[in-house]
Amino acid sequence: MVIDIVLISLLIMAYLYWSSVQQIKSIAIKATRQHCLDMDVQMLDDYIALNDLKLRRDKTGKMHLCRLFQFEFSSTGNERYNGQIVMLGYRIESIQMEPYRLPKGAGNECEKRFYEELVDE
C-alpha cells in the first residue's frame, strides 16, 4: 500500500516536471523564432536542443534551473550558424548568435535600420 502511494507520487512529480520543461522549451522556441525574424535570419529545422542544465541564482538570490538551448540559423541559405538561448526558470536570460555573413545588398538596409534606432533613442 505504501509502495503504491510512493510510486504514484513519483509518477505525478515526474509528469509535473516534464510539463514544466515543455512549457519552458515552448517559451524558448517562440523567443528564438521572434529573435531570428528580428535579425532577418532563418531559424533552421525549427528546433532547439538542450545543451546545458545547472542551478543558478537570479537577481533576487532565488535559485532556478538554468537551461542553455542551442539552435541553428542561416543568413544566406548556404551556411549554418549556431546560436544559444539561456533560460533562467521561465525567464529568457539571453539570446546569442555567432557572427554571420550578411546577404549581398543587405549592408545598406542594416546600416539604415541601425541609424534609425539611434535617432529613435
Side-chain angles (χ1 to χ4, degrees), residues 12-82:
I12 290 171
M13 287 174 28
Y15 172 76
L16 292 174
Y17 176 76
W18 176 82
S19 177
S20 70
V21 168
Q22 294 305 312
Q23 288 177 341
I24 291 168
K25 190 171 182 178
S26 175
I27 293 168
I29 287 175
K30 288 177 186 174
T32 303
R33 280 187 200 133
Q34 186 59 49
H35 187 73
C36 286
L37 283 173
D38 293 344
M39 300 303 290
D40 291 328
V41 297
Q42 178 186 7
M43 182 179 172
L44 299 176
D45 305 327
D46 203 33
Y47 178 75
I48 60 173
L50 182 64
N51 198 27
D52 194 14
L53 180 67
K54 56 189 166 189
L55 285 173
R56 205 166 94 195
R57 294 187 186 275
D58 64 7
K59 294 177 184 175
T60 63
K62 189 175 177 185
M63 290 294 280
H64 293 280
L65 278 175
C66 179
R67 294 173 174 87
L68 186 131
F69 293 99
Q70 194 99 15
F71 64 94
E72 290 185 332
F73 67 96
S74 178
S75 59
T76 62
N78 294 328
E79 300 98 3
R80 294 177 88 91
Y81 300 99
N82 291 317

Side-chain angles (χ1 to χ4, degrees), residues 1-12:
M1 178 77 171
V2 174
I3 293 175
D4 292 339
I5 293 172
V6 170
L7 286 175
I8 291 172
S9 298
L10 286 174
L11 285 174
I12 290 171

